Structure formats: structure tokens, C-alpha cells
Amino acid sequence: MHATVEWVGDDRYKATTGSGFDVMIDRDLKEGGRPMELLLASLGSCSSVDVMAILRKSRQDVVSCVVEVSGERADAVPAVFTAIHVKFIVTGRKLKEAHVRRAVQLSAEQYCSVSLMLEKGGVEMSHSYEIVEADA
């Protein structure tokens, strides 16, 4: 697994993943940097893949899964994440809460490499979910 990051001028960079996916990144001087946002996006996508795979295996009728990831950073340099919360909003038809709760738990505790890596690095991780009934 690898990625290449190329400076393209000013505070802009082009990241290319080993699988050929390109992402443009820049530095937001007020907020301390968009690369940290990409870390949150990586966490959200990693955990989403797990949760959706688990819910599909349990034959839950999911029509939408949105993950909201928010992080708190240290005030000192380096401004590492100190706490991150991952919230799943799962919309579907007659979803069983036990299945959603278990999917989120399995992702957080066993499957999501990004979440587990952050937690082992000292980030306080928390997870929640909301179930929304889809229109018939």
C-alpha cells in the first residue's frame, strides 16, 4: 500500500493513491490544515465499509448510511486529535436496532483499522448511531 503526494504550487498538493485515486489537498491557514480533515474522512469511509458489509450480511434493508465524524485537536503544536466522535445515521426499512448497534460496535472494536490505529495512538474514540425509518 502506498501513496504519492506532489506539491503543485502555493499550498496545494495532489495525492495519488496506489490504486490510482487522486485527491487535491490544500492548507487552510485558519483551521490548521485540510490534511487533518482527510484523516476524518478516511475514518468515516473505513468504518462505513465495515458497517454496511455487516448490515448487508444480516439482511437489513438499508437505503442510506451517512457518517458524521468530528474531532477535537490539541491546542499545542503538534495539534493532534485528542478526541473523535463517529456518528452513523442509518436509514432503512424495519431496521433492527440490535443489528445496527452490533455493526457499529464490531467496526469500532475489531474491523476499522483507522479507528483502532487512532485509539491505540491515544485518541479518545466514541461512536453512536441513529436509525431513521425510510418511507415505504
Side-chain angles (χ1 to χ4, degrees), residues 1-106:
M1 186 175 283
H2 73 280
T4 303
V5 179
E6 175 185 359
W7 173 63
V8 295
D10 295 324
D11 286 321
R12 294 183 56 80
Y13 301 84
K14 176 184 171 187
T16 303
T17 66
S19 58
F21 184 73
D22 292 333
V23 179
M24 294 304 295
I25 306 163
D26 67 359
R27 182 175 151 207
D28 182 338
L29 297 175
K30 289 187 291 186
E31 295 298 321
R34 290 197 176 93
M36 296 299 280
E37 291 176 331
L38 287 176
L39 182 63
L40 295 179
S42 293
L43 170 59
S45 58
C46 181
S47 56
S48 290
V49 168
D50 297 334
V51 168
M52 285 304 300
I54 295 164
L55 291 175
R56 279 195 299 267
K57 282 183 183 179
S58 63
R59 299 183 181 185
Q60 295 299 290
D61 189 5
V62 177
V63 298
S64 172
C65 180
V66 175
V67 182
E68 297 176 348
V69 185
S70 57
E72 296 177 20
R73 296 175 67 186
D75 290 331
V77 174
V80 298
F81 282 114
T82 56
I84 296 176
H85 183 74
V86 182
K87 179 182 179 183
F88 292 86
I89 303 166
V90 184
T91 302
R93 294 177 189 90
K94 299 181 181 177
L95 298 175
K96 295 182 180 172
E97 182 182 4
H99 287 288
V100 174
R101 179 178 56 248
R102 183 73 174 143
V104 170
Q105 179 182 15
L106 284 171

